[in-house]
Amino acid sequence: MDNNYIPTDIKTLGALKDSGYYGSSRPESVKDEMRRNLLLRLNHGEEVFPGILGYERSVIPQLKNAILGRHDILLLGLRGQAKSRIIRLLPQLLDEYIPVVAGSELNDDPRKPMSKFAHELYKECGDEMPIVWRHRSERYAEKLATPDTSIADLIGDIDPIKAAQKRLTYADEEIIHFGIIPRTNRGIFAINELPDLQARIQVGLLNIMEEQDIQIRGFNIRFPMDLMMVFSANPEDYTNRGNIITPLKDRIDSQVLTHYPRDVDTAIAITKQEAWQDRCHASSVTVPDFIREIIEVIAFEARTSEYVDQKSGVSARMTRSALETVISNAERRAARDELTNVCVRVSDLYYIDAAITGKVELVYEGEQEGPQKVARLLVGRAIRIVFAKYFPDPSSKGKDREVYHHILGWFAAGNTLTLDPELQDKAYKRRLRSVPGLVELVRAEKNSVPARQRWLFSELVLEGLYQTSMLGKEQYTYSDMVGSVFGSLGADEEE
């Protein structure tokens, strides 16, 4: 058929035949339809899964292979790995519109009706049988698997009221109340979190997967279903909350493993795409690149932390929430001080505890430390890693450490510096300027840093020195490391 010609103004089967829409082609299954459209996109060099980053050489090729092979698919991966987003992009590979028998609950193909309703309508009307055009967005349905999901929800059940009113037997198709799967006939049906579906309900999917039909309540009522089935599952759910029964796993043709971003640049691009950054009717907020790096490195550190349950994973939603939080804090500061432009500071990162503690599952050791302490630890590790990328290692001996001589000497003389996140910009810059050699170090080490961001890098230096144990810190106040240690010892003695 000519996929470019869609005569959606045609309303009867006869007119559709005369239009040449079908040509010489035979009825096509939904999997063949997706395969055809994927090949067209590949031939034209078009992007098939827009907005899916970091999967170009892993997940996406496997998905394309599965579609070309006319497979049902299981996406297996930890939370926050774009499984649902990928599934919801699959309908883009369907034809924009297809004709269906008007009034059919099962989206009957006018050339190949399968329901009793469509058969009787054709007997009555012949080529004058009315048709409607179904958009591809209406040919996709999904169900979140929950323990209370029933066979009736998915496939359907006998309606005894209909049977009584029409005086029909339970073996008659007209008394069936169809579930969501038959109503998605000639489309894509997705089940999220498949292991949460009870085993006895999973059994009900076996015929659909292999024989492409459904059977209601054991009565001799069979419908050949034309579906692409797609599932998502979390490996943790596989073992802790449920299981996918072996016969069903055997019927799922392709199992595609998803993963978290494998490098910081990809992670930054994903968070940029997903986070709400362009705030309407608000001050302009600039997020320095090194702040974006720190936020992503927090997630990378969490995914290897001894305090975090690695089986549960660390969702990419964490970095999105963290970025939105630091932007909001800077926005709040701008609104208070009536600024039109504001930059995110290092100290703003200490407001992202809520974005971390709610999105990581802690092991026993982490619970002992406490969620907030683990969050601060992850932030500190990330700052230390990013600081080392931009500035010399202060813990080394020789020339690298000498660049910090004036800064450390000033704190060793008993001076302290408080950088409260609520500080106005003028006070913030004045306090950083009071530390000898700090701004000069940033200017010397980072010539490419915009002048407006030198103050932000100056704060990164102080925080980096604290995270590498060269300075002490209490709340927002930096001090000499030795003085800080003796001060804390004195406080203990007083207690």
Side-chain angles (χ1 to χ4, degrees):
M1 72 182 65
D2 181 3
N3 192 44
N4 294 320
Y5 176 55
I6 305 176
T8 53
D9 56 328
I10 290 176
K11 304 301 180 184
T12 66
L13 174 59
L16 185 63
K17 290 177 179 177
D18 295 340
S19 71
Y21 172 76
Y22 287 127
S24 59
S25 65
R26 292 179 294 178
E28 184 181 44
S29 72
V30 66
K31 291 178 179 177
D32 284 323
E33 178 187 333
M34 294 180 69
R35 170 186 160 81
R36 167 172 53 79
N37 287 324
L38 175 57
L39 287 171
L40 282 172
R41 288 201 179 194
L42 294 176
N43 288 337
H44 295 155
E46 296 177 14
E47 191 173 7
V48 180
F49 295 98
I52 304 298
L53 307 178
Y55 287 167
E56 293 82 3
R57 300 184 64 84
S58 54
V59 174
I60 289 177
Q62 293 181 60
L63 284 171
K64 291 176 180 176
N65 292 342
I67 294 166
L68 292 175
R70 304 192 306 178
H71 288 177
D72 295 308
I73 301 170
L74 168 65
L75 291 173
L76 183 64
L78 296 171
R79 57 185 176 177
Q81 292 184 352
K83 298 187 295 297
S84 295
R85 169 166 288 195
I86 289 171
I87 291 172
R88 289 166 187 169
L89 286 173
L90 290 174
Q92 297 302 310
L93 292 174
L94 298 170
D95 289 344
E96 186 175 6
Y97 288 94
I98 61 166
V100 303
V101 175
S104 168
E105 291 182 290
L106 306 182
N107 300 322
D108 283 275
D109 187 333
R111 290 185 298 171
K112 190 182 178 182
M114 68 173 184
S115 68
K116 184 175 181 180
F117 168 83
H119 279 295
E120 291 185 349
L121 189 62
Y122 181 72
K123 286 179 183 178
E124 178 185 342
C125 302
D127 280 354
E128 292 302 311
M129 181 173 67
I131 64 170
V132 294
W133 293 85
R134 188 82 71 225
H135 190 259
R136 58 185 164 214
S137 61
E138 301 175 277
R139 299 170 61 198
Y140 169 78
E142 68 177 51
K143 180 76 173 72
L144 175 63
T146 55
D148 63 340
T149 301
S150 68
I151 285 289
D153 296 333
L154 295 179
I155 297 176
D157 204 351
I158 301 296
D159 187 338
I161 296 177
K162 278 186 181 180
Q165 288 176 341
K166 296 186 178 184
R167 297 182 179 181
L168 298 172
T169 69
Y170 281 179
D172 195 299
E173 176 187 329
E174 290 187 55
I175 56 90
I176 296 174
H177 176 77
F178 291 106
I180 189 172
I181 292 179
R183 291 173 184 270
T184 316
N185 182 46
R186 299 178 69 202
I188 301 169
F189 183 72
I191 297 181
N192 284 314
E193 310 302 340
L194 179 59
D196 285 346
L197 202 63
Q198 291 186 36
R200 63 184 180 84
I201 309 301
Q202 293 183 38
V203 171
L205 301 176
L206 298 182
N207 265 31
I208 298 172
M209 299 295 296
E210 191 66 29
E211 288 78 19
Q212 285 81 45
D213 67 22
I214 62 170
Q215 189 172 8
I216 307 287
R217 287 275 183 178
F219 291 101
N220 190 26
I221 302 171
R222 290 182 179 270
F223 296 98
M225 291 284 101
D226 179 17
L227 286 166
M228 180 181 192
M229 300 286 288
V230 189
F231 308 94
S232 73
N234 188 315
E236 178 70 358
D237 298 343
Y238 245 135
T239 54
N240 284 4
R241 297 217 307 262
N243 205 346
I244 301 176
I245 62 172
T246 303
L248 183 57
K249 280 194 292 184
D250 184 54
R251 283 166 167 78
I252 300 173
D253 306 296
S254 288
Q255 177 176 285
V256 179
L257 302 179
T258 58
H259 56 82
Y260 289 120
R262 289 171 175 166
D263 60 83
V264 172
D265 289 340
T266 300
I268 289 173
I270 292 172
T271 304
K272 267 188 179 180
Q273 175 180 276
E274 300 302 316
W276 180 45
Q277 301 177 77
D278 299 325
R279 311 291 175 93
C280 299
H281 310 295
S283 303
S284 173
V285 179
T286 300
V287 184
D289 289 342
F290 77 87
I291 293 288
R292 295 183 187 275
E293 289 181 61
I294 290 171
I295 288 173
E296 300 305 331
V297 174
I298 291 171
F300 277 78
E301 286 297 300
R303 289 170 191 147
T304 59
S305 171
E306 67 275 22
Y307 296 120
V308 177
D309 184 359
Q310 301 306 317
K311 292 180 181 179
S312 179
V314 179
S315 170
R317 299 182 189 95
M318 187 192 79
T319 54
R320 182 193 69 192
S321 298
L323 180 59
E324 291 171 348
T325 298
V326 296
I327 291 174
S328 295
N329 199 61
E331 184 181 19
R332 179 171 61 86
R333 193 167 58 244
R336 183 199 63 194
D337 298 337
E338 298 183 350
L339 301 174
T340 56
N341 296 284
V342 68
C343 287
V344 173
R345 304 172 185 169
V346 173
S347 49
D348 291 327
L349 291 168
Y350 286 91
Y351 283 97
I352 68 174
D353 290 359
I356 300 174
T357 55
K359 291 182 172 57
V360 296
E361 299 290 335
L362 302 181
V363 296
Y364 176 76
E365 292 80 0
E367 295 289 354
Q368 292 296 104
E369 292 290 334
Q372 188 175 48
K373 189 172 181 180
V374 171
R376 293 291 174 92
L377 177 67
L378 294 172
V379 172
R381 288 178 177 177
I383 290 173
R384 185 164 65 244
I385 290 169
V386 174
F387 168 70
K389 176 182 175 181
Y390 287 92
F391 296 98
D393 181 4
S395 61
S396 63
K397 296 181 180 179
K399 186 178 179 181
D400 281 353
R401 184 163 182 171
E402 286 179 7
V403 300
Y404 303 103
H405 175 72
H406 294 295
I407 300 170
L408 296 175
W410 186 78
F411 283 102
N415 296 297
T416 61
L417 182 71
T418 300
L419 291 179
D420 192 303
E422 304 299 324
L423 275 176
Q424 293 185 341
D425 277 3
K426 288 184 179 179
Y428 175 75
K429 294 175 183 178
R430 185 171 61 250
R431 293 189 186 187
L432 288 170
R433 196 182 296 115
S434 68
V435 181
L438 180 57
V439 177
E440 291 75 13
L441 168 63
V442 173
R443 187 180 290 116
E445 294 295 332
K446 292 297 297 178
N447 293 322
S448 61
V449 173
R452 189 175 172 219
Q453 292 189 13
R454 285 175 185 159
W455 307 105
L456 309 175
F457 276 87
S458 298
E459 186 182 6
L460 176 63
V461 170
L462 294 178
E463 188 64 24
L465 290 173
Y466 163 62
Q467 296 297 341
T468 52
S469 301
M470 303 305 293
L471 289 179
K473 187 180 180 184
E474 184 68 30
Q475 190 68 5
Y476 304 119
T477 301
Y478 296 95
S479 60
D480 178 55
M481 186 65 187
V482 176
S484 176
V485 170
F486 280 114
S488 62
L489 288 176
D492 290 339
E493 289 172 357
E494 288 175 7
E495 292 175 2

mmCIF file of all heavy atoms in Angstrom, residues 38-52:
data_model
loop_
_atom_site.group_PDB
_atom_site.id
_atom_site.type_symbol
_atom_site.label_atom_id
_atom_site.label_comp_id
_atom_site.label_asym_id
_atom_site.label_seq_id
_atom_site.Cartn_x
_atom_site.Cartn_y
_atom_site.Cartn_z
ATOM 1 N N LEU A 38 9.843 1.315 10.022
ATOM 2 C CA LEU A 38 11.222 1.430 10.517
ATOM 3 C C LEU A 38 12.210 1.390 9.354
ATOM 4 O O LEU A 38 13.164 2.190 9.309
ATOM 5 C CB LEU A 38 11.521 0.308 11.514
ATOM 6 C CG LEU A 38 12.963 0.228 12.019
ATOM 7 C CD1 LEU A 38 13.396 1.544 12.671
ATOM 8 C CD2 LEU A 38 13.141 -0.938 12.992
ATOM 9 N N LEU A 39 11.995 0.487 8.416
ATOM 10 C CA LEU A 39 12.890 0.411 7.255
ATOM 11 C C LEU A 39 12.864 1.708 6.455
ATOM 12 O O LEU A 39 13.906 2.174 5.978
ATOM 13 C CB LEU A 39 12.491 -0.770 6.371
ATOM 14 C CG LEU A 39 12.837 -2.168 6.915
ATOM 15 C CD1 LEU A 39 12.193 -3.246 6.063
ATOM 16 C CD2 LEU A 39 14.352 -2.358 6.986
ATOM 17 N N LEU A 40 11.671 2.318 6.325
ATOM 18 C CA LEU A 40 11.583 3.596 5.620
ATOM 19 C C LEU A 40 12.390 4.674 6.329
ATOM 20 O O LEU A 40 13.105 5.451 5.693
ATOM 21 C CB LEU A 40 10.112 4.028 5.515
ATOM 22 C CG LEU A 40 9.257 3.335 4.455
ATOM 23 C CD1 LEU A 40 7.792 3.737 4.604
ATOM 24 C CD2 LEU A 40 9.766 3.678 3.061
ATOM 25 N N ARG A 41 12.283 4.718 7.654
ATOM 26 C CA ARG A 41 13.043 5.724 8.416
ATOM 27 C C ARG A 41 14.544 5.489 8.301
ATOM 28 O O ARG A 41 15.326 6.436 8.193
ATOM 29 C CB ARG A 41 12.620 5.701 9.889
ATOM 30 C CG ARG A 41 11.234 6.269 10.125
ATOM 31 C CD ARG A 41 11.066 6.687 11.574
ATOM 32 N NE ARG A 41 9.754 7.251 11.810
ATOM 33 C CZ ARG A 41 9.433 7.924 12.897
ATOM 34 N NH1 ARG A 41 10.330 8.117 13.853
ATOM 35 N NH2 ARG A 41 8.224 8.410 13.060
ATOM 36 N N LEU A 42 14.937 4.236 8.365
ATOM 37 C CA LEU A 42 16.360 3.923 8.235
ATOM 38 C C LEU A 42 16.863 4.296 6.840
ATOM 39 O O LEU A 42 17.974 4.847 6.694
ATOM 40 C CB LEU A 42 16.600 2.435 8.506
ATOM 41 C CG LEU A 42 16.321 1.956 9.940
ATOM 42 C CD1 LEU A 42 16.494 0.453 10.042
ATOM 43 C CD2 LEU A 42 17.245 2.661 10.926
ATOM 44 N N ASN A 43 16.068 4.029 5.819
ATOM 45 C CA ASN A 43 16.459 4.377 4.450
ATOM 46 C C ASN A 43 16.623 5.877 4.268
ATOM 47 O O ASN A 43 17.484 6.352 3.533
ATOM 48 C CB ASN A 43 15.427 3.846 3.447
ATOM 49 C CG ASN A 43 15.487 2.333 3.303
ATOM 50 O OD1 ASN A 43 16.511 1.727 3.584
ATOM 51 N ND2 ASN A 43 14.389 1.720 2.892
ATOM 52 N N HIS A 44 15.778 6.644 4.972
ATOM 53 C CA HIS A 44 15.809 8.101 4.841
ATOM 54 C C HIS A 44 16.747 8.765 5.857
ATOM 55 O O HIS A 44 16.860 9.993 5.878
ATOM 56 C CB HIS A 44 14.403 8.683 5.005
ATOM 57 C CG HIS A 44 13.465 8.260 3.916
ATOM 58 N ND1 HIS A 44 12.094 8.221 4.088
ATOM 59 C CD2 HIS A 44 13.698 7.834 2.643
ATOM 60 C CE1 HIS A 44 11.522 7.811 2.958
ATOM 61 N NE2 HIS A 44 12.483 7.557 2.078
ATOM 62 N N GLY A 45 17.387 7.955 6.712
ATOM 63 C CA GLY A 45 18.311 8.503 7.702
ATOM 64 C C GLY A 45 17.629 9.275 8.811
ATOM 65 O O GLY A 45 18.235 10.158 9.435
ATOM 66 N N GLU A 46 16.363 8.957 9.086
ATOM 67 C CA GLU A 46 15.610 9.683 10.106
ATOM 68 C C GLU A 46 15.881 9.094 11.493
ATOM 69 O O GLU A 46 16.168 7.910 11.645
ATOM 70 C CB GLU A 46 14.113 9.604 9.811
ATOM 71 C CG GLU A 46 13.704 10.277 8.509
ATOM 72 C CD GLU A 46 12.228 10.098 8.228
ATOM 73 O OE1 GLU A 46 11.479 9.692 9.148
ATOM 74 O OE2 GLU A 46 11.802 10.360 7.086
ATOM 75 N N GLU A 47 15.763 9.957 12.509
ATOM 76 C CA GLU A 47 15.930 9.504 13.882
ATOM 77 C C GLU A 47 14.701 8.704 14.300
ATOM 78 O O GLU A 47 13.568 9.138 14.099
ATOM 79 C CB GLU A 47 16.121 10.702 14.814
ATOM 80 C CG GLU A 47 16.564 10.330 16.212
ATOM 81 C CD GLU A 47 16.912 11.543 17.054
ATOM 82 O OE1 GLU A 47 16.671 12.677 16.582
ATOM 83 O OE2 GLU A 47 17.437 11.355 18.159
ATOM 84 N N VAL A 48 14.935 7.552 14.882
ATOM 85 C CA VAL A 48 13.828 6.656 15.223
ATOM 86 C C VAL A 48 13.358 6.868 16.657
ATOM 87 O O VAL A 48 12.154 6.837 16.939
ATOM 88 C CB VAL A 48 14.243 5.186 15.012
ATOM 89 C CG1 VAL A 48 13.092 4.245 15.371
ATOM 90 C CG2 VAL A 48 14.682 4.955 13.568
ATOM 91 N N PHE A 49 14.275 7.118 17.582
ATOM 92 C CA PHE A 49 13.923 7.314 18.991
ATOM 93 C C PHE A 49 14.461 8.667 19.463
ATOM 94 O O PHE A 49 15.463 8.742 20.176
ATOM 95 C CB PHE A 49 14.486 6.180 19.855
ATOM 96 C CG PHE A 49 13.898 4.838 19.548
ATOM 97 C CD1 PHE A 49 14.560 3.936 18.713
ATOM 98 C CD2 PHE A 49 12.678 4.474 20.076
ATOM 99 C CE1 PHE A 49 14.012 2.699 18.422
ATOM 100 C CE2 PHE A 49 12.118 3.231 19.790
ATOM 101 C CZ PHE A 49 12.780 2.348 18.959
ATOM 102 N N PRO A 50 13.811 9.757 19.073
ATOM 103 C CA PRO A 50 14.296 11.089 19.453
ATOM 104 C C PRO A 50 14.247 11.300 20.963
ATOM 105 O O PRO A 50 13.311 10.856 21.636
ATOM 106 C CB PRO A 50 13.328 12.036 18.722
ATOM 107 C CG PRO A 50 12.100 11.228 18.503
ATOM 108 C CD PRO A 50 12.561 9.823 18.288
ATOM 109 N N GLY A 51 15.265 11.985 21.478
ATOM 110 C CA GLY A 51 15.300 12.295 22.898
ATOM 111 C C GLY A 51 15.853 11.202 23.781
ATOM 112 O O GLY A 51 15.982 11.394 24.993
ATOM 113 N N ILE A 52 16.201 10.053 23.209
ATOM 114 C CA ILE A 52 16.797 8.961 23.990
ATOM 115 C C ILE A 52 18.309 9.054 23.828
ATOM 116 O O ILE A 52 18.852 8.769 22.766
ATOM 117 C CB ILE A 52 16.283 7.584 23.521
ATOM 118 C CG1 ILE A 52 14.753 7.539 23.595
ATOM 119 C CG2 ILE A 52 16.904 6.476 24.349
ATOM 120 C CD1 ILE A 52 14.185 7.725 24.980
#
